[in-house]
Amino acid sequence: MPQISVDYSDSLVFDRRGFARALHALTAKAIGSQIGDCKTRFRRIDETFIDDGAETHAMVFVEFWILSGRTTETKAELSESTLALLQECVTSSHGSQVHLAVSVCDLDSDVYRRVHLST
């Protein structure tokens, strides 16, 4: 925890590793966790249909799943900080209009389980 998913349009110039490194630091600070607990996966979107379907649109959607119990203010701060970071890390190579969005969802701490395996 937290579990972070980032869906992004294939047409974007996106420093994913740099973004994840900075995102993990700001997430740990915002929700009081450890950087080592953050896990981010990136999913490239081959095709999107936004607005009128013009190819001049691109998107990034970041979804957080964090343990329940954080205040609405804490989650809003995480969303706003993430949007600001995205604006620093994402550019369009084709002059696209880039749509950025963030969602912070609660994991039910009564039923969420995890384990770390070492090989």
Side-chain angles (χ1 to χ4, degrees), residues 30-31 64-82 102-107:
I31 67 171
F64 289 88
W65 285 91
I66 62 173
L67 289 177
S68 57
R70 275 39 179 242
T71 65
T72 299
E73 293 79 18
T74 297
K75 292 186 269 187
E77 176 187 324
L78 179 58
S79 292
E80 291 167 12
S81 298
T82 301
V102 178
S103 179
V104 179
C105 307
D106 288 330
L107 286 168

Side-chain angles (χ1 to χ4, degrees), residues 76-93:
E77 176 187 324
L78 179 58
S79 292
E80 291 167 12
S81 298
T82 301
L83 280 175
L85 180 61
L86 279 169
Q87 291 175 67
E88 295 173 15
C89 295
V90 174
T91 57
S92 171
S93 61

Side-chain angles (χ1 to χ4, degrees), residues 2-69:
Q3 303 287 340
I4 308 164
S5 298
V6 181
D7 297 316
Y8 67 96
S9 295
D10 188 34
S11 62
L12 295 174
V13 177
F14 189 9
D15 176 11
R16 295 181 302 279
R17 294 187 66 77
F19 174 75
R21 190 173 292 110
L23 182 66
H24 289 186
L26 78 82
T27 300
K29 181 178 178 184
I31 67 171
S33 68
Q34 301 295 314
I35 290 174
D37 292 333
C38 296
K39 298 159 207 70
T40 298
R41 73 172 169 229
F42 292 91
R43 298 181 293 210
R44 185 182 64 242
I45 303 167
D46 294 329
E47 183 177 3
T48 58
F49 192 97
I50 300 170
D51 191 16
D52 60 359
E55 292 184 18
T56 57
H57 294 280
M59 66 171 280
V60 180
F61 177 65
V62 179
E63 184 174 49
F64 289 88
W65 285 91
I66 62 173
L67 289 177
S68 57

